[in-house]
Amino acid sequence: MFRPKVPTNPTPTGLVVPLTVEPTALVRHSPPPTPVAQTSTRPAVRLAPGTALALVGGGAAVVLVVGAVLVSMLLAVAISGVSVAVCAVVLRSLLASGRTHR
C-alpha cells in the first residue's frame, strides 16, 4: 500500500519488462488489552501546618534577599553614573578656567 509504484521502463532491445510485485505479509491485529486500575505506590504529600508555614517563610525570605540584591545593584549603577557625571563637570570647568586665565 505504501510502496512506491515504479513505472516499467523499456529495455534497449525494445522489450518491456513488467515490475515484479512482492506480496505483503498479513498483519493480524489483536484486541487492545483491558485497562488496569492504576494504583499509586507513592503516598500523597501531606503538609503539616508548621511545614507549610516554614515553606511560606522560606519563600518570603528568598524574595526579600533577591529584591535586596537587585536594588543594591541598581543603586550601585546609579551612584557610578552620578560620580562619572560629577567628574565630567569638574574636568570641564577646570579645562574652561585654564583657557580663560592665559
Side-chain angles (χ1 to χ4, degrees):
M1 179 175 155
F2 293 109
R3 292 187 181 177
K5 304 219 186 250
V6 180
T8 56
N9 294 325
T11 59
T13 59
L15 298 174
V16 177
V17 179
L19 183 66
T20 57
V21 178
E22 298 175 8
T24 59
L26 293 175
V27 178
R28 295 181 188 215
H29 296 286
S30 61
T34 58
V36 178
Q38 295 287 332
T39 58
S40 177
T41 58
R42 220 169 53 164
V45 176
R46 296 186 189 258
L47 294 177
T51 308
L53 187 62
L55 286 175
V56 169
V62 167
V63 167
L64 288 175
V65 168
V66 169
V69 168
L70 291 177
V71 167
S72 64
M73 290 173 61
L74 180 65
L75 187 61
V77 169
I79 290 172
S80 300
V82 168
S83 66
V84 167
V86 168
C87 289
V89 169
V90 169
L91 283 175
R92 183 177 176 199
S93 68
L94 286 175
L95 289 175
S97 67
R99 291 183 192 150
T100 58
H101 286 248
R102 288 188 177 186

